[in-house]
Amino acid sequence: MLDENLPTFRFRHSSSNSLLSILYFTQNGTEPAAEYSLQRINPDLPQSKNKYAIALGDAAFHDVIFGEVLIEPELQQPALSASEARQQNGVPPPPIPVIPDAFAIQLYNPEQEIAVRGEKSAWTGKESWEFEMPQQSFRMPSASQVDRQQNNPISSSLTPKIMFRWKRDSKFSKDMTCYMTGTSVGGRKSKDPDVTIALYKHSREPSLTIYEPNMQRVDIEDRKGLEVVLLLGAEVIREIYLFPSRDSFNIAGAPSRRKNSRPTPTSSASPTHVMTGALGNLPPAKPNSPVAQQPTPPQDARIEAETKRLQALVQQEEREREKRDREEQKRIKKMLEEEEKEQKRRDAEIAKETERLRKEFGVEGQEFGPKPNLPPRSSAGPSRPQAPQLQPPAQPPRPLSAEPRPHGGFGGWFHGLGPSPAAPPQNYYPQTQSGRNGKIQKKKSTFF
């Protein structure tokens, strides 16, 4: 059970009547009470042959019917082989019912017919059954005679209808869920997100749970009719589509026929015999009798020839497939060889062009970017070879001093280091012959 607080109907078979099932209702953890009864047609009645019928009525008064379903399937005669026909002793087998894709639920007070159409998904293989119910089922009370003569809103095509769909939980599951999928007005459907309405759980005691929190979103006037449709629809889908059997349509309602039936010792003295087949009255055949030495039909030879033909066809298809695989492998190998040759040719062209550029321009002067511009270093130690440096930009002339520059001592820190007025301005870094070539000669220290 999903939740004991939700309205739940439990299907239980009656111990006194095999054709009767009682639906017990429980909610909010209360004790189950009999609410409805499911009544099936008696297979012994002549009018019940080749039919499926079930009705939902009151639990106490079985004559009060709320809704019923009647299905009359099409019958097909199965095709039998010669060996199967001999096993049947020439008696034609019973017909096989063809399960219809749709069925109708007949409601009473007010009378209304709900069509349930089944479909199967070609992609997932899941089955579903769809039906519609009108939003308005009862005529508005009115004292006007004109209003009373109007058509019933159920039969009007302009009455909005709510669409529902029973969906199987999975391809191999026995449980179902009913969803509200949208609305329909005049044949034009509008799809909405699925809203869970009811859940059917199959077990030794099947149950149907109404998902009450979502019932407020169902705008239907006939809530009782929706309840009857859910109960009857779930039971019919279970018996006809999920677990179909020949007994459901009472195909075996005709007089039963036993295989290998023989007369009883009491009836053997009687001159009359019961015909159970074409060879039913013949005595047991002896080993040397012509009945036992019947020629074997050529069906085995045909089967063997067909088997050989199919084997030859399969072998031919395998040879063709292997041939196609070999051709595909050759094509791929040839394509890879061509790509490898093309890559080698491009590599040779690149190597040839590189060698030509090396011979034309050489390898000298190929530096990786300009070197950083560093100031010259002054050191009292032995001179070390320096890397060539670029000449810094010319500095502005230093300001002139009022006194002549002294020729020694530390007076330069107080009287300025600029040149005399008569002397021309000089750069801070004296430039030599080597400086004109982009090199700066190391300057001697003034104080040491």
Side-chain angles (χ1 to χ4, degrees):
M1 182 184 295
L2 181 64
D3 188 354
E4 62 178 5
N5 296 324
L6 296 177
T8 304
F9 294 91
R10 299 180 181 177
F11 297 75
R12 296 179 182 176
H13 291 285
S14 176
S15 58
S16 58
N17 189 356
S18 60
L19 302 177
L20 185 66
S21 297
I22 306 299
L23 274 65
Y24 291 86
F25 177 76
T26 178
Q27 186 178 11
N28 298 327
T30 59
E31 290 294 329
E35 185 74 14
Y36 296 107
S37 63
L38 276 175
Q39 308 173 27
R40 294 170 178 81
I41 192 170
N42 188 0
D44 297 334
L45 298 177
Q47 60 268 24
S48 66
K49 186 178 179 181
N50 301 333
K51 294 180 182 179
Y52 171 84
I54 189 173
L56 184 70
D58 189 76
F61 304 96
H62 298 168
D63 295 339
V64 179
I65 303 299
F66 300 110
E68 63 181 8
V69 175
L70 176 63
I71 301 177
E72 298 183 15
E74 297 180 0
L75 301 179
Q76 290 184 353
Q77 197 70 24
L80 300 180
S81 61
S83 59
E84 293 176 348
R86 287 196 305 272
Q87 292 178 1
Q88 296 291 339
N89 295 331
V91 178
I96 299 177
V98 179
I99 299 177
D101 296 334
F103 63 93
I105 301 176
Q106 180 65 43
L107 300 179
Y108 298 104
N109 194 23
E111 293 189 2
Q112 182 180 356
E113 188 175 276
I114 305 297
V116 182
R117 294 175 296 273
E119 61 182 11
K120 185 176 182 179
S121 174
W123 182 260
T124 60
K126 294 175 60 176
E127 297 175 321
S128 60
W129 296 265
E130 184 180 8
F131 62 94
E132 300 177 356
M133 290 198 66
Q135 292 184 356
Q136 184 181 358
S137 301
F138 305 100
R139 185 175 300 171
M140 295 292 294
S142 175
S144 173
Q145 189 69 20
V146 177
D147 295 340
R148 295 179 181 179
Q149 293 177 356
Q150 291 181 356
N151 294 331
N152 196 349
I154 296 176
S155 60
S156 176
S157 61
L158 299 179
T159 302
K161 297 181 179 180
I162 306 297
M163 297 186 301
F164 300 90
R165 184 184 294 269
W166 279 104
K167 290 184 180 180
R168 205 170 178 175
D169 291 351
S170 65
K171 185 177 181 180
F172 303 102
S173 176
K174 302 177 182 179
D175 301 337
M176 298 183 299
T177 305
C178 184
Y179 301 94
M180 182 177 64
T181 59
T183 58
S184 173
V185 180
R188 301 182 61 180
K189 300 180 180 180
S190 61
K191 297 291 184 179
D192 294 334
D194 293 349
V195 179
T196 304
I197 301 300
L199 300 97
Y200 179 82
K201 183 175 180 59
H202 177 77
S203 60
R204 296 186 60 183
E205 187 178 284
S207 63
L208 187 141
T209 302
I210 306 296
Y211 199 72
E212 192 177 20
N214 290 339
M215 291 301 295
Q216 299 179 359
R217 306 173 62 178
V218 181
D219 187 12
I220 285 184
E221 191 176 39
D222 189 8
R223 294 297 182 93
K224 188 74 172 181
L226 176 61
E227 184 177 284
V228 173
V229 169
L230 291 176
L231 294 172
L232 267 178
E235 184 66 16
V236 173
I237 292 172
R238 184 188 70 85
E239 291 187 347
I240 300 301
Y241 297 96
L242 300 185
F243 305 99
S245 64
R246 293 177 54 187
D247 297 339
S248 299
F249 296 99
N250 298 322
I251 301 298
S256 60
R257 176 178 48 84
R258 296 183 305 166
K259 295 182 180 180
N260 300 328
S261 59
R262 296 179 180 179
T264 59
T266 56
S267 61
S268 58
S270 156
T272 60
H273 301 279
V274 179
M275 297 291 293
T276 58
L279 303 177
N281 296 329
L282 293 178
K286 298 180 180 180
N288 298 328
S289 63
V291 178
Q293 297 179 354
Q294 293 181 353
T296 304
Q299 184 177 3
D300 296 339
R302 290 197 303 268
I303 293 176
E304 186 176 357
E306 182 69 16
T307 303
K308 291 182 179 180
R309 187 185 69 83
L310 293 178
Q311 290 177 355
L313 183 61
V314 170
Q315 293 177 359
Q316 182 180 0
E317 291 179 354
E318 290 180 355
R319 289 193 297 268
E320 293 178 356
R321 182 170 62 253
E322 292 177 356
K323 183 179 179 181
R324 289 195 300 267
D325 294 343
R326 288 195 298 267
E327 293 178 354
E328 183 69 16
Q329 291 177 1
K330 291 181 180 179
R331 186 184 67 82
I332 294 175
K333 185 177 180 180
K334 184 178 180 181
M335 183 177 62
L336 294 176
E337 291 177 354
E338 291 178 356
E339 290 181 356
E340 186 177 359
K341 291 180 181 179
E342 182 68 18
Q343 184 66 26
K344 289 181 179 180
R345 186 185 63 81
R346 277 184 279 180
D347 294 343
E349 291 180 356
I350 292 173
K352 183 178 179 181
E353 183 68 16
T354 304
E355 185 66 22
R356 186 186 67 81
L357 295 176
R358 184 182 292 111
K359 290 180 180 180
E360 182 177 355
F361 299 101
V363 296
E364 296 181 357
Q366 298 181 6
E367 298 180 356
F368 299 94
K371 294 185 177 181
N373 188 9
L374 300 176
R377 296 181 180 179
S378 60
S379 174
S383 61
R384 292 177 295 179
Q386 292 183 347
Q389 299 180 356
L390 298 178
Q391 181 181 358
Q395 301 290 336
R398 303 178 67 84
L400 300 178
S401 175
E403 297 180 1
R405 179 178 180 182
H407 297 281
F410 297 95
W413 292 98
F414 302 98
H415 297 283
L417 299 177
S420 61
Q426 298 180 358
N427 291 336
Y428 184 76
Y429 298 99
Q431 192 176 32
T432 61
Q433 184 67 21
S434 62
R436 295 188 184 95
N437 297 330
K439 299 181 180 180
I440 300 177
Q441 188 179 6
K442 181 179 180 183
K443 182 182 178 182
K444 296 181 180 181
S445 175
T446 307
F447 305 104
F448 300 99

